[in-house]
Amino acid sequence: MRAPLKPLDDALAELLARAVPVLGVETVDSFDADGRVLREGATSPLQVPPADNSSMDGYAVRVADLAGGGATAAELPVSQRIPAGSAAQPLAAGTAARIFTGAPVPAGADAIVMQEDCEPLEGGERVRINAVPAPGQWIRRAGEDITLGAQVLSAGTRLGPASLGLAASIGLARLTVSRRPRVALFSTGDELVMPGDVPPERMPPGAIYNSNRFFLRAMLRRLGCDVTDLGIVPDRRDATIEALRSASAAHDLILTSGGVSVGEEDHIKPAVETLGELHLWQIAMKPGKPFAYGRIGDAHFMGLPGNPVSSFVTFSLLVRPFLLALQGTADVAPRAMAVTAGFDWLRADKRREFLRVRWGADGRLERFGNQSSGVLTSAAWGDGVVDNPAGQTIARGDTVRFISFADLLS
Ligand code: AMP
Ligand code: MG
């Protein structure tokens, strides 16, 4: 009797539990830290902005100097000029200060009037103020972004453009992050030919181009990995064992595609069992059933199916969270959204299924016509997948769980 397939959530939980120990750390220039996982949190040694400052070009005033007697306009002498980057003197009573965006608000001023509501007089010596501001108008308060001592970044954050900018705003130029995972990648399959090696018109019978190598490498790079690309390994037991053995020496993860099913030409499973242990094999998901996880020496091993969409989906849902966890990422789960289906799916499957879909103009999801695991066009066409539970059909108008490629491939 065949063993029941492992539910995807159980497989993922097991992989995350095995993503230990978390990789060591290194300190890198912030400029080079995009996509890396922060390992030391940071609290702010200052407040941001450091002082009350103007959010407009205009005039700093005391509201009380303008509002008296219900006047709608007032004329005041201009007592100082405060560009951004300069220090302000306290505002003399009964005067206005010319001020620019980002410049410190002078002590005593309690509002900014934007220059569109003002008329400079006598070559800028005086100003007519044509609007009475509310107290606090156009003033950005000291510390309104970050207060002194606030936790600005926490360990486990995957750094992106906004968090890098935030780190800079509290004075950080270098950040402590996980070292890059070292990943050995190879494809199996005697039918595989590298684009560039053989032109389409000279492809031998039965040959296909190796597409998995290209997207797997790109996905690994996006996750911050150092990739050793070992190319194509022939469908032979000895060659497979040799490739796995040599890759296990200096890598955190060995990632393969193809050859992980049960045919006589599938050598991955017995080869891993010869060299190490296989902990997981075959997941209840579609596409992607033939997925394997094991250990060879100190290296983790993950075998992806050869069918391109299966490879793509298992990487996104299993390898990606594992590699993020290995780097110490706090939150590895892709976000799912409840979205309305603009399509029918009448063929319920025994396995949990990931349908390639994209946004339609009406804000509903459209489904790619051919959901075969060999049709890579569906992944390039799609904006993401619908995570459809086992045994469930979908009717137009139903709410489904959508996971975006923007999340899965970042
Ligand atoms: P396998 O998992 O090795 O049985 O392969 C399943 C299917 O995926 C077969 O049709 C293979 O030709 C195809 N395949 C395997 N590896 C690749 C690859 N690297 N690029 C494109 N197709 C592949
Ligand atoms: Mg094969």
Side-chain angles (χ1 to χ4, degrees), residues 379-402:
W381 174 95
D383 292 319
V385 290
V386 163
D387 175 3
N388 191 40
Q392 188 144 316
T393 56
I394 298 169
R396 200 175 294 262
D398 284 355
T399 300
V400 293
R401 244 171 82 87
F402 172 71

Side-chain angles (χ1 to χ4, degrees), residues 50-76:
D52 288 359
N53 68 94
S54 178
S55 62
M56 287 287 168
D57 289 347
Y59 291 83
V61 297
R62 277 190 176 80
V63 176
D65 289 341
L66 304 174
T72 52
E75 266 184 46
L76 298 174

Side-chain angles (χ1 to χ4, degrees), residues 68-362:
T72 52
E75 266 184 46
L76 298 174
V78 176
S79 54
Q80 62 179 313
R81 188 172 183 279
I82 317 168
S86 65
Q89 301 304 314
L91 184 67
T95 74
R98 179 72 171 123
I99 195 164
F100 299 89
T101 303
V105 174
D110 55 8
I112 309 296
V113 184
M114 66 164 89
Q115 65 188 15
E116 289 79 352
D117 291 331
C118 302
E119 281 167 60
L121 306 170
E122 299 171 21
E125 297 280 302
R126 296 175 67 77
V127 62
R128 176 194 295 278
I129 310 271
N130 292 322
V132 179
Q137 178 178 281
W138 305 128
I139 295 177
R140 300 190 287 217
R141 293 296 174 192
E144 77 173 28
D145 184 357
I146 301 169
T147 54
L148 183 66
Q151 173 89 27
V152 175
L153 294 166
S154 46
T157 300
R158 191 155 173 239
L159 296 164
S163 46
L164 291 174
L166 203 58
S169 76
I170 61 166
L172 295 176
R174 292 178 67 74
L175 297 167
T176 299
V177 299
S178 288
R179 73 162 172 81
R180 294 181 181 281
R182 291 189 276 267
V183 180
L185 174 67
F186 65 84
S187 325
T188 70
D190 288 344
E191 71 279 32
L192 300 178
V193 165
M194 281 300 290
D197 285 357
V198 180
E201 66 277 12
R202 262 188 254 129
M203 283 288 269
I208 59 166
Y209 287 121
N210 183 350
S211 50
N212 297 2
R213 186 175 182 181
F214 289 82
F215 65 72
L216 291 174
R217 194 156 133 155
M219 288 160 126
L220 288 168
R221 301 283 291 267
R222 285 190 178 195
L223 291 167
C225 301
D226 268 337
V227 181
T228 309
D229 190 335
L230 300 171
I232 301 166
V233 171
D235 285 325
R236 288 198 327 264
R237 186 72 50 92
D238 58 344
T240 308
I241 289 178
E242 193 35 49
L244 289 171
R245 190 204 311 279
S246 68
S248 68
H251 295 100
D252 302 300
L253 170 66
I254 307 168
L255 185 68
T256 66
S257 84
V260 77
S261 300
V262 282
E264 294 119 72
E265 299 287 344
D266 295 319
H267 301 291
I268 288 284
K269 181 173 183 273
V272 173
E273 285 167 333
T274 302
L275 296 169
E277 308 113 61
L278 199 76
H279 295 296
L280 262 180
W281 188 56
Q282 299 208 318
I283 317 285
M285 64 189 287
K286 188 179 177 184
K289 180 175 100 173
F291 170 89
Y293 168 82
R295 296 287 303 227
I296 301 174
D298 288 337
H300 298 272
F301 162 80
M302 288 190 185
L304 306 183
N307 273 309
V309 186
S310 309
S311 225
F312 193 86
V313 169
T314 48
F315 186 98
S316 306
L317 297 174
L318 293 162
V319 183
R320 177 181 184 275
F322 175 84
L323 282 169
L324 291 176
L326 204 61
Q327 295 177 74
T329 314
D331 183 12
V332 301
R335 284 165 305 169
M337 288 186 251
V339 182
T340 306
F343 63 88
D344 293 320
W345 181 244
L346 304 174
R347 279 178 283 156
D349 198 90
K350 290 201 292 288
R351 283 179 272 157
R352 178 169 169 185
E353 205 163 358
F354 293 90
L355 305 168
R356 275 76 66 213
V357 296
R358 76 174 179 196
W359 291 109
D362 59 359

